[in-house]
Amino acid sequence: MRSNWHSIREYEALRAVITSGTTNGASRLLGVTQPTVSRAISTLESRLDVVLFERRGGRLRPTAEALRLNAQLDRLFDAISLINGTDPDDPGSQPLRLAAPPSLSDLVGTQMASFMKLHPGQRMSLETCTSNGLVSRLVDDSVDLGFTHADLTHSAMELIPFHSSEAVCVMARNHPLSKHEVITPDLLHGVDFISILRRHIVRSRLDRLFAEAGSVPHRVAEVATGLSAVTLARQGCGVSIICPFPVLRADDPTLIIRPFLPKFYYRTSFAVSTVRPLTREARAFMRHVKLSIRSDPAWHGSDTKSAEPSAESLLQAEVAGSVVF
């Protein structure tokens, strides 16, 4: 009987932790104590018999089960809003809804914090999802604005690049390859290598470069994100070729970061719907993100000029002060 019991507070805690990345952050969002949030998550995990979060680098990363459950809860919380007299279809009552993959969630969260300080009345939400999940959320109007590293194509979605980075090679500070100023495929022949999963487009690009050079790295691990690759490289498990943004800072003292040749680039883009107009708040946030990143020279490998959005895409946001509320 207990397995069929549901608690709104547990679900609120789940969504708040996914949004903030920590139980402390969730407690501030909900106006309750941190132990209350922790107990709610623990009870929910026990009741559902699933692991909802994994701790990485001091933050809680939602599992696939947590993300699926969170998506299923959207209709529940919309219904609660209606019962409380707030129409979720009323633009004035909606938060600015954002979605990003785990590799970009910290960046987006930081930008949310600075944006909300400038605009205290602005409500916002952040959902962590895969790139494919981002497409479906834009299509069904679950989010207003997405962020992605992937070169996605869909008739209902447009990508607006706002940052470009050159691929780099990362390794532990005592790694033998650290004596080289530039890393090339031939230097990685037989070297312990941390690879991105095959489902990522960049994996096929790297595999092609290695094949053309006749180089066969010794793959010791495959990971889904650059953040995971950096963690393994930092512990001396091997080297990896990754997108440095926003995982690496130019002054990171824990790693050796070397240019990789031949060069290839990663683009980081806004993902917007092609069937619904951008809200004023979404345009404002896009402009805020661009200006914040351009004003911070510490991002490793930054090349923001080469990633200028098309005039068509951001004309309204750039012209109308958009973004002054």
Side-chain angles (χ1 to χ4, degrees), residues 168-180 183-185 187-196 206 210 215 217-223 226 228-242 255-258 260:
V168 297
C169 183
V170 294
M171 64 195 78
R173 296 201 65 84
N174 60 352
H175 196 280
L177 288 182
S178 62
K179 64 183 179 182
H180 297 278
I183 302 300
T184 55
L187 291 175
L188 298 178
H189 182 75
V191 173
D192 288 349
F193 188 72
I194 303 153
S195 180
I196 298 298
L206 276 173
F210 287 134
S215 176
H218 178 225
R219 300 186 192 276
V220 295
E222 293 187 340
V223 295
S228 298
V230 167
T231 299
L232 292 176
R234 185 179 284 118
Q235 297 301 317
C237 297
V239 305
S240 189
I241 308 298
I242 66 163
L255 290 165
I256 295 295
I257 305 171
R258 294 286 187 255
F260 179 75

Side-chain angles (χ1 to χ4, degrees), residues 167 182-185 206 209-210 212-213 241 259-265:
V182 176
I183 302 300
T184 55
L206 276 173
L209 288 176
F210 287 134
E212 291 172 352
I241 308 298
F260 179 75
L261 290 178
K263 290 183 180 181
F264 66 88
Y265 292 85

Side-chain angles (χ1 to χ4, degrees), residues 110-318:
T110 300
Q111 296 300 318
M112 286 173 64
S114 58
F115 187 75
M116 293 169 71
K117 288 178 182 177
L118 292 173
H119 309 289
Q122 177 62 55
R123 296 168 57 223
M124 305 184 77
S125 67
L126 172 61
E127 180 178 355
T128 303
C129 63
T130 64
S131 293
N132 288 334
L134 172 59
V135 175
S136 64
R137 283 160 176 76
L138 282 169
V139 169
D140 65 17
D141 195 23
S142 297
V143 300
D144 303 304
L145 178 65
F147 294 76
T148 183
H149 282 312
D151 290 326
L152 304 169
T153 56
H154 194 283
S155 60
M157 181 189 68
E158 177 188 4
L159 294 185
I160 303 174
F162 66 89
H163 189 276
S164 179
S165 303
E166 293 180 12
V168 297
C169 183
V170 294
M171 64 195 78
R173 296 201 65 84
N174 60 352
H175 196 280
L177 288 182
S178 62
K179 64 183 179 182
H180 297 278
E181 292 302 314
V182 176
I183 302 300
T184 55
D186 59 291
L187 291 175
L188 298 178
H189 182 75
V191 173
D192 288 349
F193 188 72
I194 303 153
S195 180
I196 298 298
L197 292 174
R198 291 183 183 276
R199 69 169 180 260
H200 294 283
I201 294 176
V202 69
R203 169 65 181 269
S204 61
R205 291 164 64 189
L206 276 173
D207 286 350
R208 186 165 57 251
L209 288 176
F210 287 134
E212 291 172 352
S215 176
V216 183
H218 178 225
R219 300 186 192 276
V220 295
E222 293 187 340
V223 295
T225 68
L227 182 62
S228 298
V230 167
T231 299
L232 292 176
R234 185 179 284 118
Q235 297 301 317
C237 297
V239 305
S240 189
I241 308 298
I242 66 163
C243 172
F245 178 80
V247 177
L248 300 178
R249 305 289 284 186
D251 55 356
D252 189 333
T254 66
L255 290 165
I256 295 295
I257 305 171
R258 294 286 187 255
F260 179 75
L261 290 178
K263 290 183 180 181
F264 66 88
Y265 292 85
Y266 296 85
R267 295 194 312 172
T268 308
S269 304
F270 301 115
V272 302
S273 171
T274 58
V275 297
R276 292 180 303 277
L278 275 170
T279 65
R280 178 169 173 261
E281 293 78 10
R283 295 196 307 269
F285 189 64
M286 292 166 72
R287 183 171 185 271
H288 177 79
V289 171
K290 288 171 40 184
L291 293 177
S292 296
I293 292 172
R294 289 175 186 172
S295 65
D296 187 349
W299 294 116
H300 190 281
S302 291
D303 183 18
T304 54
K305 290 183 179 179
S306 66
E308 266 316 304
S310 65
E312 174 85 25
S313 302
L314 281 181
L315 183 59
Q316 290 179 321
E318 294 290 5

Side-chain angles (χ1 to χ4, degrees), residues 14-21 29 59 109 112 124-127:
L14 170 75
R15 291 164 81 86
V17 174
I18 288 176
T19 298
S20 65
L29 287 175
R59 296 185 67 83
M112 286 173 64
M124 305 184 77
S125 67
L126 172 61
E127 180 178 355

Side-chain angles (χ1 to χ4, degrees), residues 58-76:
R59 296 185 67 83
L60 294 175
R61 305 286 182 179
T63 62
E65 291 79 8
L67 295 178
R68 280 196 294 270
L69 175 59
N70 188 47
Q72 293 166 353
L73 291 172
D74 287 342
R75 292 183 179 179
L76 171 64

